[in-house]
């Protein structure tokens, strides 16, 4: 009896052909960049050798993905299930570390992490009455654990005297 | 008075036992925090050990590292954030068990087999230290090259469901490992002018990104796919469940222990590689291959047995020859020198009770692991009661802090984010992240040993098969490489015949 395969294709999924093509292009770029690296190592085994070998393997892998996609065409019919993505929440998660990179050296640890927690909890639809105390408590607890217990220095605000 | 009795006297003192217990609690705490490794836990302990006597100092470091390695499994299983690189090998397996309500079973298995693995490693350390160290020191760049390639191959072809996508993931990790100055002539490579990237990609930041940030992104982007919180079922008496697991999976445990001891004894290999290789081997030889990757306890058992066994055997080359087996033993060697216990063959001749005391400490630490570990599980599984919409922001805050804490710069937060997005996109397209992590971890080892071997052999590739161990490892690796290729060709041929 022939097995029936059902493939779930979600919102961010691309075909093996596209994936293989991306792989081949990225490998070609890496291989080209590797050839521009300075030589000078004994026996001609310089910093370019390993990346060039990797790019060759990556090109072969990419071609493998493309070939497999072509071989599977017609035999497999994917059942597409579109999942609705919540872009606002996703953007908030990506924006939080970016904000931390920019703000932490100036505002210090607490004034960076506290707003991040408040923003994320608000975007994730937590109740407002618990957001502020939980965010404050977590900021203090993480800071205390890292500074006092683990002896890891965390940045302080440059404009505050303490 | 016999040496063993003298050693027992050295250990059975309140200040030694107190140091071991406090260090164990500290190790549990550090290991459970994403981004902080067992090595960091031991490093933080170093200044304190200067005020302790030598046995208490070594005891503190042994118990701290054993606890930290186990504790890495707690966030890995509960939140999909591996506390240590060793836990990354089977993090997905444990996390999927948690999502099924079996967190207690997964963590219980990890705890039991960690302790048994640790005791096995200690037994080997006691009985075969000098002879095992001699074998380990015979490894040259050829053997290390094949060992690294075998580990990577196993991860890509055996542990990943789709070998081609596993290979793609591995190549992404290996490519990322080429960034920086760790290359044959120490020239900046693919750093795009960035000073921060001269030292390469921060492994811990990448690890946090690939696992934790990718998971948070998935939660944020797909709210309909995620449960509000994860209800858990209790396994009841943990000791009864352990008995059943020991009876069912005793082969996995023994195989994991042996592999862990062998890999751990090799200088530079350590618990991380042992765990990855054990997981791959477990999947390859399992009768229930199809269950791997869906939350199957078998993979956890073999890997966790291997990583804790490796922890003990990593001390073999450290104690016998003063050559560290991993980063933890490298720190310990320094502390031993400070306390006048110079590692080397003389350690077994002058005051041998000291070395036997170290062996006894290993046994005490592994027994303590069961007691404290169970307490840690009981406390930590309560995390799952917390609604995920409240938990996820706190985890992200921890991730940001953990990534920053490694090198004390905000650049690594960016590295974490980039790898988080990469991990999310990879998983959405069916590319497993585990081989990528291993590629990043072993890329530098693979390249340096490949280049060294090529220079030694003057470009002759047959030299890679000229030594017996090297040839054995090489042939094994090539068989694993060729196997999926043959299977794919056969499958294509069968399909063509059917359509024709």
């Amino acid at each position: 009896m022939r097995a029936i395969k059902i493939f779930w294709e979600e919102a961010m999924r691309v075909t093996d052909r596209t994936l293989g093509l991306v792989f081949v292009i990225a490998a070609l770029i890496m291989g080209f960049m590797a050839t521009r690296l300075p030589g000078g190592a004994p026996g001609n085994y310089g910093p370019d050798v390993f990346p060039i070998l990797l790019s060759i393997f990556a090109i072969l892998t990419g071609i493998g993905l493309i070939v497999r996609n072509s071989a599977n065409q017609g035999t497999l019919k994917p059942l597409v299930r579109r999942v609705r993505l919540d872009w606002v929440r996703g953007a908030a998660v990506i924006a939080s570390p970016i904000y931390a990179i920019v703000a932490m050296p100036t505002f210090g640890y607490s004034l960076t992490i506290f707003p991040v927690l408040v923003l994320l909890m608000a975007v994730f639809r937590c109740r407002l009455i618990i957001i502020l105390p939980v965010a404050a408590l977590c900021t203090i607890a993480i800071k205390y654990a890292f500074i006092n217990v683990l002896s890891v220095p965390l940045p302080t605000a440059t404009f505050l005297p303490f | 008075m016999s040496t063993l009795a003298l050693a027992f006297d050295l250990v059975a003192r309140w200040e030694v036992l107190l140091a071991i217990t406090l260090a164990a609690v500290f190790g549990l705490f550090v290991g459970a925090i994403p981004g902080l490794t067992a090595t960091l836990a031991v490093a933080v302990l170093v200044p304190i050990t200067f005020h302790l006597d030598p046995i208490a100092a070594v005891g503190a470091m042994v118990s701290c590292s054993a606890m930290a390695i186990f504790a890495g499994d707690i966030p890995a299983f509960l939140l999909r954030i591996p506390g240590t690189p060793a836990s990354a090998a089977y993090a997905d397996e444990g996390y999927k068990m948690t999502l099924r309500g079996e967190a207690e079973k997964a963590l219980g298995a990890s705890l039991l087999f960690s302790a048994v693995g640790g005791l096995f490693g200690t037994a080997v350390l006691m009985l075969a230290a000098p002879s095992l160290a001699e074998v380990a020191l015979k490894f040259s760049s050829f053997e290390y090259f094949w060992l690294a390639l075998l580990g990577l191959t196993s991860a890509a072809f055996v542990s990943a469901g789709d070998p081609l996508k596993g290979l793609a993931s591995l190549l992404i990790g290996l490519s990322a490992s080429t960034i920086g100055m760790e290359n044959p002539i120490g020239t900046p490579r693919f750093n795009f002018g960035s000073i921060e990237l001269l030292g390469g990609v921060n492994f811990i930041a990448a690890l946090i990104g690939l696992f934790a940030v990718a998971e948070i992104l998935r939660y944020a982007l797909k709210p309909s796919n995620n449960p509000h919180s994860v209800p858990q079922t209790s396994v009841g008496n943990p000791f009864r469940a352990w008995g059943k697991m020991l009876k069912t999976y005793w082969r996995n445990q023994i195989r994991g222990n042996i592999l862990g001891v062998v890999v751990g004894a090799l200088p530079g290999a350590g618990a991380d590689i042992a765990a990855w290789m054990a997981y791959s081997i477990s999947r390859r030889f399992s009768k229930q291959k199809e269950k791997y990757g869906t939350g199957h306890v078998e993979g956890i058992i073999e890997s966790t047995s291997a990583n804790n066994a490796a922890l003990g055997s990593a001390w073999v080359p450290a104690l016998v020859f003063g050559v560290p087996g991993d980063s933890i033993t490298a720190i310990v060697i320094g502390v031993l020198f400070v306390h006048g216990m110079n590692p080397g063959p003389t350690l077994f001749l002058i005051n041998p009770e000291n070395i036997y005391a170290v062996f006894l400490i290993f046994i005490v630490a592994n027994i303590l692991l069961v007691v404290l570990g169970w307490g840690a599980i009981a406390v930590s599984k309560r995390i799952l009661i917390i609604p995920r919409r409240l938990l996820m922001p706190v985890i992200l805050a921890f991730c940001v802090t953990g990534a920053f804490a490694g090198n004390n710069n905000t650049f690594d937060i960016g590295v974490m984010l980039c790898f988080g997005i990469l991990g999310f996109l990879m998983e959405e397209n069916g590319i497993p992240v585990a081989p990528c992590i291993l590629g990043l971890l072993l890329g530098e080892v693979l390249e340096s040993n490949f280049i060294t071997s090529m220079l030694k052999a003057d470009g002759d590739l047959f030299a890679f098969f000229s030594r017996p161990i090297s040839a054995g490892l090489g042939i094994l690796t090539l068989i694993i490489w060729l196997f999926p290729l043959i299977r794919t060709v056969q499958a294509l041929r069968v399909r063509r015949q059917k359509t024709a």
Side-chain angles (χ1 to χ4, degrees):
Chain A
M1 205 175 91
R2 196 174 164 186
I4 300 165
K5 286 186 178 176
I6 297 171
F7 287 82
W8 295 94
E9 189 156 317
E10 297 197 346
M12 305 292 272
R13 181 161 274 202
V14 294
T15 61
D16 276 1
R17 180 183 289 170
T18 314
L19 211 60
L21 208 63
V22 170
F23 233 74
V24 170
I25 293 166
L28 283 171
I29 293 169
M30 185 177 153
F32 174 74
M33 282 167 67
T35 56
R36 316 273 291 182
L37 285 166
N44 285 329
Y45 300 113
D48 54 334
V49 174
F50 193 62
I52 287 173
L53 282 174
L54 286 181
S55 61
I56 292 168
F57 276 106
I59 289 167
L60 292 174
T61 307
I63 292 170
L65 285 167
I66 294 166
V67 169
R68 189 172 69 176
N69 188 89
S70 307
N72 286 343
Q73 251 177 6
T75 55
L76 304 169
K77 286 176 183 168
L79 180 69
V80 180
R81 185 186 67 157
R82 287 277 164 192
V83 175
R84 207 173 145 264
L85 298 180
D86 194 329
W87 289 106
V88 176
R89 288 165 47 134
V93 169
I94 293 171
S96 298
I98 295 171
Y99 168 72
I101 294 167
V102 177
M104 213 188 281
T106 314
F107 294 117
Y109 181 79
S110 304
L111 292 180
T112 305
I113 293 299
F114 178 72
V116 162
L117 284 170
V118 170
L119 168 83
L120 285 174
M121 285 176 190
V123 171
F124 287 169
R125 295 195 189 102
C126 291
R127 287 215 312 268
L128 203 64
I129 196 160
I130 58 165
I131 289 177
L132 290 175
V134 170
L137 206 69
C138 288
T139 307
I140 294 166
I142 298 172
K143 191 178 176 182
Y144 179 83
F146 273 82
I147 293 179
N148 295 58
V149 184
L150 302 167
S151 311
V152 175
L154 295 174
T156 47
T158 50
F159 50 85
L160 290 176
F162 49 88
Chain B
M1 213 171 175
S2 73
T3 311
L4 202 62
L6 276 170
F8 187 79
D9 275 353
L10 282 173
V11 176
R13 286 178 294 134
W14 72 267
E15 67 266 30
V16 176
L17 295 174
L18 187 69
I20 291 173
T21 312
L22 290 178
V25 174
F26 179 72
L28 270 177
F29 176 69
V30 178
I33 295 178
L36 304 185
T37 60
T39 310
L40 185 120
V42 174
V44 170
L45 268 187
V46 170
I48 299 160
T49 61
F50 293 151
H51 306 288
L52 301 172
D53 79 65
I55 300 301
V58 174
M61 295 173 107
V62 167
S63 63
C64 177
S65 58
M67 296 292 166
I69 290 278
F70 160 70
D73 293 355
I74 298 175
F77 290 5
L78 300 185
L79 308 165
R80 201 173 177 255
I81 309 169
T84 59
S87 309
Y90 47 93
D92 263 341
E93 218 67 69
Y95 183 65
K96 280 174 183 159
M97 283 182 78
T98 299
L99 291 180
R100 257 202 332 255
E102 295 175 355
E104 200 170 312
K105 188 182 175 187
L107 285 167
S110 161
L111 177 62
L112 168 69
F113 291 96
S114 290
V116 175
L119 288 171
F120 186 87
T122 310
V124 172
L125 182 67
M126 289 170 83
L127 298 171
S131 47
L132 202 63
E134 236 168 83
V135 175
L137 285 182
K138 278 183 186 155
F139 267 54
S140 70
S141 60
F142 295 105
E143 283 82 8
Y144 276 113
F145 167 76
W146 283 122
L147 190 75
L149 197 59
L150 183 64
L152 294 169
T153 304
S154 308
F157 289 141
V158 187
S159 56
D162 180 346
L164 205 54
K165 287 192 173 174
L167 182 63
S169 173
L170 177 65
L171 288 165
I172 293 170
L174 284 172
S175 304
S177 79
T178 60
I179 296 170
M181 289 179 70
E182 295 289 336
N183 58 64
I185 58 166
T187 186
R189 186 169 64 183
F190 305 146
N191 69 324
F192 305 101
S194 160
I195 296 165
E196 286 88 352
L197 280 177
L198 285 177
V201 171
N202 183 333
F203 176 72
I204 296 298
L207 182 77
I208 296 173
L210 281 172
F211 280 96
V213 177
E215 187 62 29
I216 297 166
L217 260 176
R218 189 172 305 110
Y219 171 80
L221 281 165
K222 297 176 177 178
S224 55
N225 277 15
N226 293 289
H228 177 67
S229 63
V230 188
Q232 297 296 305
T233 49
S234 173
V235 293
N237 181 354
F239 294 96
R240 208 165 45 213
W242 285 357
K244 200 180 164 193
M245 279 193 277
L246 272 173
K247 206 172 152 187
T248 315
Y249 300 113
W250 62 271
R251 280 191 196 88
N252 300 73
Q253 186 220 318
I254 293 173
R255 202 166 50 200
N257 285 346
I258 294 170
L259 182 80
V261 161
V262 173
V263 176
L266 302 171
D272 308 345
I273 299 173
W276 287 91
M277 287 181 79
Y279 181 77
S280 306
I281 289 171
S282 174
R283 183 174 183 147
R284 179 73 191 85
F285 293 103
S286 173
K287 286 175 186 163
Q288 297 172 304
K289 282 190 193 76
E290 71 287 351
K291 284 191 177 177
Y292 278 71
T294 62
H296 187 39
V297 78
E298 202 177 339
I300 296 172
I301 287 170
E302 195 148 339
S303 312
T304 200
S305 298
N307 68 19
N308 274 58
L311 206 62
S313 68
W315 282 62
V316 172
L319 291 177
V320 181
F321 293 105
V323 179
D326 57 10
S327 50
I328 294 169
T329 46
I331 297 169
V332 173
I333 285 175
V335 173
L336 287 175
F337 271 114
V338 170
H339 285 286
M341 284 171 72
N342 297 358
T346 50
L347 199 63
F348 289 84
L349 303 171
I350 307 162
N351 298 329
E353 66 274 12
N354 282 343
I355 201 78
Y356 279 95
V358 173
F359 296 155
L360 286 176
I361 286 165
F362 264 101
I363 294 169
V364 172
N366 281 296
I367 293 167
L368 207 62
L369 177 69
V370 176
V371 181
L372 291 177
W374 193 255
I377 292 171
V379 173
S380 61
K381 73 178 181 189
R382 291 180 196 282
I383 287 173
L384 298 169
I385 302 166
I386 304 167
R388 289 170 88 76
R389 63 184 175 203
L390 208 62
L391 193 61
M392 288 298 179
V394 179
I395 293 170
L396 189 66
F398 252 111
C399 293
V400 167
T401 318
F404 175 85
N407 287 330
N408 234 295
N409 71 41
T410 51
F411 185 83
D412 289 336
I413 301 173
V415 172
M416 176 198 79
L417 180 64
C418 291
F419 274 89
I421 296 168
L422 178 71
F424 173 75
L425 291 174
M426 281 168 71
E427 289 199 318
E428 286 299 301
N429 287 290
I431 302 175
V433 293
C436 176
I437 283 286
L438 197 63
L440 196 55
L441 183 71
L442 289 184
E444 198 261 318
V445 178
L446 189 74
E447 182 181 8
S448 64
N449 284 300
F450 174 70
I451 298 293
T452 309
S453 303
M454 288 298 275
L455 286 171
K456 274 189 201 168
D458 203 17
D460 179 16
L461 288 172
F462 287 104
F464 283 82
F465 298 93
S466 60
R467 295 157 60 94
I469 302 173
S470 160
L473 288 169
I475 290 165
L476 190 64
T477 310
L478 292 179
I479 288 170
I480 300 175
W481 271 85
L482 290 173
F483 188 69
L485 203 69
I486 295 165
R487 219 170 46 177
T488 312
V489 172
Q490 273 178 339
L492 281 172
R493 195 177 287 172
V494 168
R495 194 173 293 159
R496 263 187 207 150
Q497 278 171 352
K498 274 185 182 174
T499 47

